[in-house]
Structures are given as structure tokens and as C-alpha cells.
Amino acid sequence: MTRHLLQHPFPSVLLQSISAHHTPDMALIVPNVQAGRDLRGALRGAGAARTLTQTARQELQAAGWKPLRPGAREAFLRDALEGAAFDYLQPIIERPGTQARLAGLIGELLRANLEPQAVQAVAQPGRERDVALAFARVVARCNGRKEYDVAGTEYFAARLNTLPARRGVVHGFAYLDAAQLALLDRLLAPGSLVTLPASQVPVGQRRTQETAAALRALGLVNAPVEGRATRTGDQVVEGYLQRGAGSRGLRREEHPDTESEVRACLRQVRAWLADGTRPEQLAVIVRHEATYLGALADVAREYAIPLVSGAQVPLLHTPLGAVVQAWVDAHAREWRYSAARGLLTHPLMKPNFDALRRARALQPHCPSGVVAWDPALSWLELPAETTWQAGLGVLERLIRALGIQARCAADPALNVALSLLTDRLSGEARQGDACTRDELLGLVSHVLRSTSVPALLGKSGVRVANPLSALGRRFEHVWVLGLADTLFPRQATDHPLIDSVVRGRWGTEGVTVPDASSLASVEEALFLGAVGGSAMDVVVSRPLRGEGGKELRPSPFWRRLGTQEPTNAALPLGSEQERQLLLTLDGSPPAAIQAGADIERRRDEGLPGAHAGQLDRGVSVSARRWSASQLHAAGACRFKWFAGRLLQLSEPLDSDQEDDRRVTGTLLHAALEGALAGDAGANSAGERVARAHAALDRKIQALRRSGELRPGPLWHVQREELRRTVVRAVSSPAFVPPGWVPKTLEERRDFTVTAGRHTYQMTGVVDRIDQTPDGLTVTDYKANTYISHVVKERALNLEIQLPLYMGALGATNGRYYSIEGAETLKGGAGPAREAAKGNRKYVWAQHQADVTAFLTALGDHLEAGNVAPSPDAARMACTYCALLPVCRHRGGTGAEEISA
């Protein structure tokens, strides 16, 4: 008897040929568990079916081998490589990324069924020799400890001394790698059958044809197989191999983006289900799971369609994983305010207080530590030294006491994630031993990354399968998503350590490792295996644009399926929300949506209305108390002033930013005030510097006690820089020019300003008033060189603070002094500026008239209730505005400048 290869392009014909040769004593070997169920259903009296990996694992277990636990793989690799004399990799071998890429490459060498000695013989010095050394050490450690990783299951099983051979049927594979071929050669006795969906004519199907040639080299003989394409899947494969001949039952669809594509797919799934098809007979094939699984889950929930999938996602990417990682990050960031907020305000967390309200209350000072939120939560912070049992007990208490465990009864996915997390942590930790906080948190982070959970959890439903899990399966209807480049096929790239050039040279010396082109041919085999399993309908679709609106080229598989124009089926909508959306896009929105659209339209056109920056009643400027900063805000944009002052939408603070410019300005102002305290104008620069340093130190202590100053790790450097800035500012001749005598420092003044029929009640702090040869002069300190302006003639070019202070104090002139620049800034106000060289266009009387015109126009707008956005033409006022998400300024008629 001989071993036979049944080779035919149509999977259904191969299955019929098996039925003619199969006997109940033959073992069934399939690519996945579901394919085994389908094969047994087609063969009468067939025994149990196993995957090739299951078969290899069973033989290894009988020989005393053990699989590596997922959490032990990284440690196993590190131990295997410890002490290795690397050359190229030595400086970077400890990096996690290097070890991850090296582990993937070792997996390729195992699947290529290579002996370490053969690789070492062809490897040239440098990175090639390092790879060969790492491969040899890993294989040696596996053999020595009788432990194996999943990538080496077939590799090590094929090398067992006692491997029983029996007659069997190998069905459903589209290709086989070298390690699988070696294992099958040992397992299959004479009389066995192997099927491959390959055409006898060598057109396309490179990887499948290579597998067929390798099987014949092992002694398998082709048996005659006859049959015609009867099922739709067979016809699609036939049309593909005939380069676009087309086929009955194939539908091609194009959609603007992936969400539209997913919606069309699930609408068709609803139609198939409504026609009586069982969910288990439907398949949605997805190659790029990261792109499609989230959208499929969301839309299926909206459409009430049950989906199941064997796809796994890291525990870290689940809501539970996000909470646990936030707890880990809070320790790594020393429980700074933002870290504690990220944990305690997570939607899964249910503390015994309103976390969002507490976050707003704490935000002005943003204190560190969980105790600032609630002293009863101090147990959340791990000590520097603990034990595995005690540290994990804190995490268990977090899950139990803060409401996560209580939600598991109503959330099966959360329950599964929690069970997996608990099992992994209890299995990995050494319960009674002591450990550091960093060791325990490192373990938790590792478990979150290395533990995976089902992406679509369910007992039954429509199968969402990747092409590997669809091999050998039989469905009534199949929809293949994402036939676009980079999605299906996936982009094949060279490995950074062993590229295609190296692999080609190794191949000429008898050491074959598949290169990028060979891996690309795997994608074709997977695609044909996916569509070939359908009995009735095959739908393939592609998105025209991907993430971020990037245009996606059609997949080569799409082009090979024909040139006929895609036709999108008209199907009933999947939900009421979708119906409303499409009606709106078609120009016939429901009444509720139309009302909102009318509001937005009127707002865009600048028409008065409740949502167009027009209040029901006006704002009397005379009834409010104003400061220069308020006038600057209103003069730069009325909406910004309205949102900040009347709606109290405070600007968000960066709670982790240690170099707060506002705090820095407060410290510098205090230092300069201290420098002149008691100064009669005749003090030396050294005396002023000493007083400034003392005032700076006092202010630092006061701000630290209040929590406004939160020193970071570089505070000693920042403090020294502040002292140097103060020295430069105080020692500069421009600080107290000759003939100037400081009279008043940091004085608060209340005064009124009349503009037209409006009276402004003003309050402000005047940094300094000097008696000078030119008369009384107001000095305003600026930390750097920025001077606030308001809009005049659609540009931010009108300065108002100095004229207001000068009018209130009866001062003659005004100037701005830059602390960091240690100089008087260009500009200022008053006759001295008008008389200065280079200021021919400046007229003090016109400056005063412009300020009065601004105040009059502002009063008129607010009295009319007009708080519409009014930025400058260049929209400089919008550059750092925190209100842009709620402003949506379109530059319409609401953007007129405030001017006379």
C-alpha cells in the first residue's frame, strides 16, 4: 500500500473523494476543531478528529514533555540566552523588543524544521551567527528540560523516537510548513490520504503547490480525483484560478469605510438569518482582526446579532485590564493627581463618593496621593516592601471593595476577564515570599500583556473567523471583509535580523526559510480556503478608505476575482438609529434631528438665536466688577469671556506639569516686589538682590504649604534658574532707571471708567508706581515678553491695561518690564512713548480714544446679549483656546471686531 495525495482545486470534490476511500479505522487530522466536526459530519462512522497540533501535543506528553505556560515563555528565553557570547546583538539583547523579535524568528526556524547545526554552518559572522547561536541554545534548552513553546510543537514531536504511525486522513489544510510535513511523514502509515485544494496546472497557489511537491518528495503518490464545481465556493475558486472568469453566486461590494462595510455585512447576515439559515452556518471572514473586531462587536450589539469568535485580545485591552493598569501606573507615577484621577474615575470603579465631583474640587491644587481623595482609601498604596500574598490581596480588595466584582453577575465578559486574571496571578506569584513593590507591579503588568481573553464571547452565534480558523470548514454563506492591500493580504515585510537576501543565500546552501514572497503566497492560500467553504453565497467586500481617511488600494485577490462592477445589495436597515442616520444623510431627517440641524445652520449663518451666541437678556457691564484680565478675555473673544466668567468653564489644568507658568510668574513678581521693599531709590544692586532672594524664598514656602507649588525631581535646577532670573532682572539698569524713585509696590486699586453710556467698576493690582523725571509712571511686570491685546480692526493690536491704570492713578506714562528679559519692552503708553525715537505713528490721544471706543463697543454688545465668538481675523485668539470643542467658530457675522 502507498500513501496517496488527493489534489484538486475544489474542497467539496476532495471531500467526496475521501468518502470513497475512508474507513472507520483511519485517524482524522484537521487544521482546527470546527473543521473536525464538519469532516465527521460528512463521513459515516468516523472516529474522533484532532488537529495536527493536538496530535503532536499528545505525543509529546506521552514522551514526558511539557508545554511552556504563556507567562513562562519570556523567562524561558532569557534563561536560554543568558551568558551567550553574542556579537551584533550584545548591546541590545536585554531590550524586550529585541527578545520579542528574536523569539518570533526562532519560531520561524522551528516551523522551517531546521537543525541548529545546519543553521550555524551557513550563518556568516555578525547578526546571522547570533541568530544561529540563539536558535541552538533555545533548542538545546527545550531538549534538556523537555519543555516546548507552541511554535515548536510539531518540530519536537517529529523528532520523538517512538512515534506511532497509523492510517489517517489529513484534510482541510491549504498548505503545510516544513515541521508539519516532517511530523506527518512520521505519523502517516501506508494507506493514508492527504488532501490539498491545488490545481494540477501550476497557476497561482504557489504555497499550496510547494506543499504538494514536498508531499510527493516524501513518497506520497497522486491519486486520480474527478469532479466539477457545483458549490458556489468551488465556482469562486475556479473563477479565481482562471484569472477573473467570474462565477455565479459571487457578489462584490465596495464601501466608503470599514464601518459602512461592517454594517452592510451584518445587514446581510440579518437577512440570511431571517431566511432560516442557522447562525452556525454563516461565517464572516476577517484577516485584519484589529481593524474589524471592534466595529463588528459594536454594530452587532446595535443590530442584536449574536457573534462568536475564537479571536483573543490581551487582557490589557479590556475594561478590567484598564483599571488594573491604572492602579499599576498610579504607583509608577507616585500617585500624582492625574494618575489617581485616572483610576478612581474609571467607569468600572464605584467608590463611596462622587469621584468626578471630588476631581473637580481637587483640581485647583491637584494634590498628590490617594489620601487627598479619601483617607479611607490609603490601603490602595502598596508599601515599598511587601509579600506576594499581601500585594495581590490589595488588588483583590480593590476589585471587591470598589464595585468591580459586583458587576460580574450582569457582565459575562467581565466575569471571564476577572477569572483569567485571578488564575494567572495566583499561579505566577510565590505566595509566601517577600517581594518589592516594583516586582509585584511588574508581574501584574506582565500578566495583563500576556493573558488573552475572547474578543467576542458567546456560546453560539454567527462565526467571525480568521482564514486559518475557517480552513476545512463548510458554511452555507460566507462574507469576506477587507479585500484591500494591508488588510487582506496582510503586508509582508522582511525580518530585521534575517532578511530575504540572507534567506536566499541560505536556501542555495540547503537551509530553506520562507521569505516575504513565500509568506505572501500563504495569504492567497488562506483566501481561497476561506471562500471555498461556501455552499451558496460568497460576498467579498473592500473599504475604499481606511483609518484616518487613507485611500486603500484593492487587494490583488479582488482584482483576480473579475472586472465586473461591484454591486451593493439593498437590504433592510439593521436598527432605528441607522434608519435615522441614513434619512438625515439623504436630506430627509426626522423632526428631532432637523431641529438640531436648524440650530446649527442658524449658528453658522450668525443669525440671532439661543445657540448663536445671543442671550435672552443682556449683560450689564455696570453691574459687574471688571479686571484687566477680564477685559483682555472679552476683547480677544466675547465667547471665551462668557464661557469662562458666566458659565465658569475653567481652563483645564495639566496636573502633571510641574513648570506652571502662573506659579512661576507669582514667584518672580514676589521677588521683584521684595527687592524694592523699603527702597528709596539709592540702594545698591547687591542690597536689592539680597532682598529679592529672601522674598523669593518666603513665597516658595508659602506656595508649597498651599499646594500651588508642586516641586518635581528637577526642582533644585528650576529654583536655581529662578534665582538667576531674579538677579538679572534686579541688577539691570532698566529695573530702576536713573532718577526713578519707587513710590508704591503691588497696590490694589478700585476705580471706575466711563465709556459712552457704560460705567465699568474696575479692580486691579498695580505692580509698581515710580516718580520719574517725566512724571508719575506705572510699571507692569511681565514674566517674559508677551503683552495681552484686544481686537481692533480685526487684529489683536490694541493695548488697554496701561491706559486704564494711568487714568485711575493720574499717571503720566506707563511701561512694561520683562523679568526674564531684564529690559523695558517696546510699547508702553503716554507722552514719553509718543516722544521716543522710532514711534512716529504712535499718538497718545488716539490710544486713549481707541480704548474708550473699545469699552463702548464691548458694553453695547454685552447689553444686547451678544456673546458670539469674536476672534481676530488671523484667529490668534483661538490658538490656545480650550473652548474650541464647544465653540465651532465659522468666521461668520458673529466674528466682527470690537471697535468704534
Side-chain angles (χ1 to χ4, degrees):
M1 295 180 66
T2 60
R3 299 180 296 185
H4 285 99
L5 171 62
L6 306 181
Q7 185 176 337
H8 196 277
F10 305 149
S12 63
V13 173
L14 290 174
L15 190 58
Q16 294 170 4
S17 300
I18 292 176
S19 301
H21 296 84
H22 172 262
T23 57
D25 63 308
M26 300 178 76
L28 303 182
I29 298 178
V30 290
N32 54 72
V33 174
Q34 288 83 5
R37 294 170 183 164
D38 287 356
L39 180 60
R40 290 184 63 202
L43 300 177
R44 293 184 178 181
R50 290 189 177 88
T51 68
L52 188 55
T53 301
Q54 286 175 333
T55 304
R57 189 183 302 125
Q58 181 180 3
E59 299 301 332
L60 286 169
Q61 183 178 1
W65 285 64
K66 296 182 298 183
L68 282 172
R69 294 177 302 171
R73 293 170 183 167
E74 295 176 5
F76 184 90
L77 179 63
R78 285 196 304 269
D79 293 342
L81 302 182
E82 186 176 2
F86 290 120
D87 180 16
Y88 177 84
L89 293 177
Q90 187 60 43
I92 58 175
I93 193 61
E94 296 298 329
R95 296 180 183 176
T98 301
Q99 295 185 6
R101 299 304 294 268
L102 189 58
L105 183 54
I106 290 173
E108 286 190 59
L109 300 179
L110 291 172
R111 287 187 289 271
N113 199 44
L114 300 176
E115 295 293 343
Q117 298 84 352
V119 177
Q120 290 175 319
V122 299
Q124 293 185 356
R127 61 182 180 179
E128 295 180 41
R129 187 164 295 172
D130 285 355
V131 170
L133 175 59
F135 179 54
R137 290 179 71 98
V138 169
V139 171
R141 185 173 179 82
C142 289
N143 286 320
R145 297 172 62 95
K146 287 194 172 183
E147 291 183 321
Y148 65 93
D149 194 7
V150 62
T153 307
E154 290 89 347
Y155 178 89
F156 292 108
R159 285 158 174 74
L160 294 176
N161 294 327
T162 56
L163 200 62
R166 59 175 294 190
R167 296 174 65 240
V169 173
V170 181
H171 176 69
F173 293 88
Y175 68 95
L176 294 162
D177 60 40
Q180 291 173 323
L181 288 167
L183 178 59
L184 287 176
D185 188 37
R186 296 283 310 279
L187 288 175
L188 298 181
S192 297
L193 300 174
V194 178
T195 69
L196 270 183
S199 171
Q200 295 286 357
V201 179
V203 52
Q205 296 185 292
R206 170 185 165 186
R207 191 60 184 269
T208 308
Q209 296 285 1
E210 290 175 348
T211 300
L215 287 168
R216 287 191 289 269
L218 293 176
L220 275 75
V221 177
N222 277 105
V225 180
E226 300 293 336
R228 299 179 58 189
T230 56
R231 293 161 56 97
T232 300
D234 298 337
Q235 295 169 4
V236 172
V237 172
E238 183 178 43
Y240 179 91
L241 295 177
Q242 293 177 5
R243 296 187 176 274
S247 62
R248 180 177 54 83
L250 171 67
R251 188 169 86 237
R252 304 196 312 161
E253 294 195 3
E254 288 181 338
H255 297 278
D257 50 45
T258 53
E259 182 180 348
S260 301
E261 184 187 14
V262 166
R263 288 184 176 276
C265 171
L266 293 186
R267 286 201 296 269
Q268 179 63 76
V269 167
R270 282 172 58 96
W272 284 331
L273 293 173
D275 289 341
T277 305
R278 292 186 297 112
E280 295 77 13
Q281 291 300 311
L282 303 178
V284 177
I285 309 296
V286 173
R287 181 63 174 133
H288 203 277
E289 294 168 328
T291 296
Y292 283 99
L293 285 180
L296 282 166
D298 291 341
V299 178
R301 191 178 303 112
E302 179 184 332
Y303 288 5
I305 297 175
L307 298 182
V308 294
S309 172
Q312 303 275 317
V313 296
L315 186 58
L316 179 62
H317 297 163
T318 66
L320 175 65
V323 170
V324 177
Q325 187 60 48
W327 179 69
V328 173
D329 292 342
H331 286 90
R333 297 167 62 190
E334 298 177 342
W335 288 91
R336 294 162 76 173
Y337 169 80
S338 62
R341 180 185 60 196
L343 173 64
L344 296 175
T345 60
H346 191 280
L348 278 184
M349 300 286 279
K350 297 296 181 184
N352 58 358
F353 56 85
D354 188 335
L356 291 175
R357 183 183 295 273
R358 188 69 54 86
R360 289 192 293 270
L362 294 175
Q363 186 162 336
H365 296 160
C366 302
S368 298
V370 72
V371 175
W373 295 72
D374 187 351
L377 293 178
S378 59
W379 53 269
L380 280 171
E381 297 190 43
L382 289 172
E385 300 292 334
T386 183
T387 65
W388 295 103
Q389 185 174 7
L392 294 179
V394 172
L395 182 55
E396 292 174 2
R397 184 178 176 184
L398 181 155
I399 293 170
R400 183 180 62 256
L402 295 178
I404 297 177
Q405 191 172 42
R407 300 181 63 168
C408 288
D411 192 337
L414 178 62
N415 190 36
V416 170
L418 180 57
S419 299
L420 289 170
L421 175 67
T422 304
D423 291 345
R424 280 293 309 279
L425 287 176
S426 61
E428 297 285 348
R430 299 177 293 278
Q431 294 294 329
D433 296 351
C435 66
T436 66
R437 175 175 54 207
D438 291 341
E439 288 174 336
L440 189 139
L441 295 176
L443 170 66
V444 174
S445 293
H446 171 75
V447 168
L448 292 177
R449 294 193 308 271
S450 60
T451 304
S452 58
V453 298
L456 294 171
L457 190 64
K459 293 182 179 180
S460 65
V462 177
R463 174 67 56 176
V464 176
N466 62 39
L468 279 171
S469 62
L471 287 178
R473 295 295 313 277
R474 294 192 301 166
F475 299 100
E476 291 185 13
H477 309 281
V478 169
W479 186 306
V480 183
L481 290 166
L483 283 191
D485 261 351
T486 71
L487 297 179
F488 196 177
R490 284 188 173 181
Q491 190 171 9
T493 58
D494 273 349
H495 196 283
L497 293 176
I498 304 297
D499 57 24
S500 293
V501 174
V502 174
R503 296 175 192 227
R505 176 165 45 79
W506 284 11
T508 61
E509 300 181 50
V511 176
T512 303
V513 185
D515 59 11
S517 62
S518 181
L519 296 176
S521 67
V522 169
E523 297 288 306
E524 181 187 49
L526 292 176
F527 171 69
L528 293 178
V531 299
S534 177
M536 299 174 62
D537 289 298
V538 175
V539 185
V540 296
S541 61
R542 76 179 187 101
L544 299 179
R545 297 190 179 276
E547 185 177 356
K550 179 182 178 182
E551 184 176 356
L552 297 176
R553 294 179 299 172
S555 163
F557 309 148
W558 175 274
R559 295 193 293 266
R560 286 283 297 270
L561 285 173
T563 58
Q564 67 272 22
E565 286 296 319
T567 56
N568 295 4
L571 296 167
L573 301 180
S575 66
E576 177 61 21
Q577 300 95 307
E578 189 174 57
R579 186 188 70 82
Q580 293 185 2
L581 174 62
L582 292 182
L583 285 174
T584 302
L585 294 176
D586 289 340
S588 302
I593 297 179
Q594 183 63 57
D598 290 341
I599 291 173
E600 293 302 318
R601 178 182 57 77
R602 293 178 63 85
R603 186 175 181 178
D604 282 349
E605 295 173 359
L607 299 176
H611 301 274
Q614 194 74 30
L615 304 181
D616 292 340
R617 57 181 181 275
V619 178
S620 173
V621 297
S622 303
R624 300 186 58 82
R625 184 163 291 278
W626 295 82
S627 64
S629 62
Q630 282 196 60
L631 289 177
H632 284 143
C637 176
R638 291 191 300 276
F639 181 71
K640 186 173 184 179
W641 169 83
F642 164 73
R645 291 294 175 174
L646 269 65
L647 299 184
Q648 297 184 345
L649 299 179
S650 58
E651 182 179 350
L653 299 176
D654 183 355
S655 58
D656 291 334
Q657 184 177 351
E658 292 147 0
D659 185 17
D660 190 332
R661 297 296 298 177
R662 287 168 293 192
V663 173
T664 300
T666 300
L667 292 173
L668 293 175
H669 276 66
L672 266 63
E673 180 188 2
L676 296 178
D679 196 320
N683 294 135
S684 67
E687 292 174 320
R688 289 173 179 163
V689 167
R691 289 199 298 266
H693 283 170
L696 177 64
D697 292 340
R698 289 193 299 271
K699 195 63 175 179
I700 288 174
Q701 294 301 320
L703 293 183
R704 293 188 69 167
R705 285 194 299 270
S706 68
E708 295 177 70
L709 175 61
R710 303 184 301 279
L714 297 179
W715 169 241
H716 62 287
V717 177
Q718 296 167 341
R719 180 169 181 164
E720 182 60 28
E721 182 61 31
L722 283 173
R723 295 173 69 87
R724 293 179 182 178
T725 299
V726 168
V727 170
R728 288 195 302 270
V730 172
S731 303
S732 170
F735 182 52
V736 182
W740 287 43
V741 179
K743 293 187 60 179
T744 306
L745 306 175
E746 291 286 331
E747 182 176 273
R748 177 175 294 278
R749 289 291 181 95
D750 295 329
F751 56 96
T752 60
V753 177
T754 300
R757 53 192 175 83
H758 307 292
T759 300
Y760 290 82
Q761 304 291 329
M762 299 291 301
T763 185
V765 177
V766 182
D767 290 335
R768 183 173 133 200
I769 304 173
D770 292 79
Q771 185 64 55
T772 73
D774 294 325
L776 207 60
T777 298
V778 173
T779 295
D780 191 74
Y781 296 139
K782 296 296 180 185
N784 43 44
T785 60
Y786 179 75
I787 299 174
S788 297
H789 291 84
V790 299
V791 174
K792 175 194 172 189
E793 297 176 353
R794 299 186 62 78
L796 286 170
N797 59 4
L798 176 61
E799 190 277 317
I800 63 172
Q801 183 172 354
L802 290 178
L804 291 175
Y805 285 174
M806 290 165 60
L809 301 170
T812 305
N813 294 293
R815 69 162 183 165
Y816 289 109
Y817 182 75
S818 170
I819 302 175
E820 293 179 354
E823 62 181 349
T824 299
L825 297 175
K826 293 182 179 179
R833 178 186 175 186
E834 185 175 341
K837 294 181 180 180
N839 282 324
R840 297 178 182 178
K841 294 183 179 180
Y842 177 79
V843 178
W844 168 231
Q846 184 62 49
H847 192 171
Q848 292 174 296
D850 289 341
V851 172
T852 301
F854 159 74
L855 295 174
T856 302
L858 175 62
D860 291 344
H861 283 301
L862 296 184
E863 189 176 71
N866 183 1
V867 291
S870 56
D872 54 294
R875 299 190 65 174
M876 297 296 294
C878 305
T879 305
Y880 300 106
C881 181
L883 299 168
L884 292 179
V886 296
C887 171
R888 294 172 287 171
H889 170 60
R890 306 290 198 273
T893 57
E896 74 278 9
E897 72 279 6
I898 300 175
S899 60

